[in-house]
Amino acid sequence: MPLTPAGGAAQKHNLTATIDPESLCIIGGIPRHNASGLPFEVLQGSKKIAFLYWYSYFRLIPLDSRRKHSDDPEPSFFGEEIGHWEGDTLVIDSTGFKDERVWIDENANPHSDALHVVERWTRPDADHIHVETLIEDAKFYAKPFKYSRTWVAGKPDEELQEYSCSENNVDKDHLGFGPGPIRPDGTRGYLNPAALPPPIPKSPAPVK
């Protein structure tokens, strides 16, 4: 990552003095949620679009190409978001982010209150949804950079389930500072985590 000296100091702080905010039930925000492997649902209206996340968080984004950002937006985890369409591309422009107790991704990289994020959402085909994210933060990064990701669309009968972040947290005693080391299998995280509880069985769909 093209970190500035201030960004490097913030990254070191995240790695050595902070526990993963999402593991403490703090909203990951943007762009971190775009790096998550967890499912989400998009609800599209004529004037607003909503992203519903499995964490039971949501983003509600106004669609208005004439709208401008506030001069001094109230800092938030998802920022002040404004959306518009460019043909078949949904563009979401966000500023006004919180700069404390947040990571930009799963690897403890930081962001400051100068963060500016532009997401470009497209549908390459009927089975996929894609985002290209431009990340600018002059305080912590020497140059802008991009992050892209493509998801497989869910089946028509799939739905998000309720998720309670703090309930039955079996792994809280294993948490340490930073995102954890690279494990022998190549994944990142802490060694010897607690076993996950069994998945909740889905009820069969009613017969029509």
Side-chain angles (χ1 to χ4, degrees), residues 12-122:
K12 182 178 180 180
H13 174 76
N14 285 351
L15 290 169
T16 60
T18 66
I19 294 173
D20 185 343
E22 283 194 352
S23 71
L24 302 176
C25 304
I26 297 172
I27 297 175
I30 291 295
R32 182 169 182 178
H33 267 313
N34 288 351
S36 173
L38 297 177
F40 61 95
E41 187 171 347
V42 182
L43 302 180
Q44 181 180 335
S46 61
K47 296 183 179 180
K48 292 184 179 181
I49 192 163
F51 284 69
L52 311 179
Y53 295 100
W54 192 58
Y55 297 98
S56 299
Y57 306 149
F58 69 90
R59 306 165 63 191
L60 190 59
I61 301 149
L63 297 174
D64 187 348
S65 60
R66 300 165 299 176
R67 187 165 172 173
K68 305 299 181 183
H69 283 294
S70 307
D71 292 334
D72 187 19
E74 182 69 25
S76 61
F77 290 105
F78 287 116
E80 183 184 69
E81 306 176 289
I82 300 174
H84 69 273
W85 289 98
E86 294 181 2
D88 291 334
T89 300
L90 172 65
V91 181
I92 304 173
D93 189 301
S94 304
T95 61
F97 292 91
K98 289 181 180 287
D99 62 343
E100 296 180 355
R101 306 184 75 185
V102 289
W103 294 358
I104 204 171
D105 57 16
E106 308 287 322
N107 296 312
N109 287 302
H111 72 71
S112 76
D113 61 353
L115 178 67
H116 175 216
V117 178
V118 180
E119 304 158 73
R120 300 181 66 86
W121 291 86
T122 54

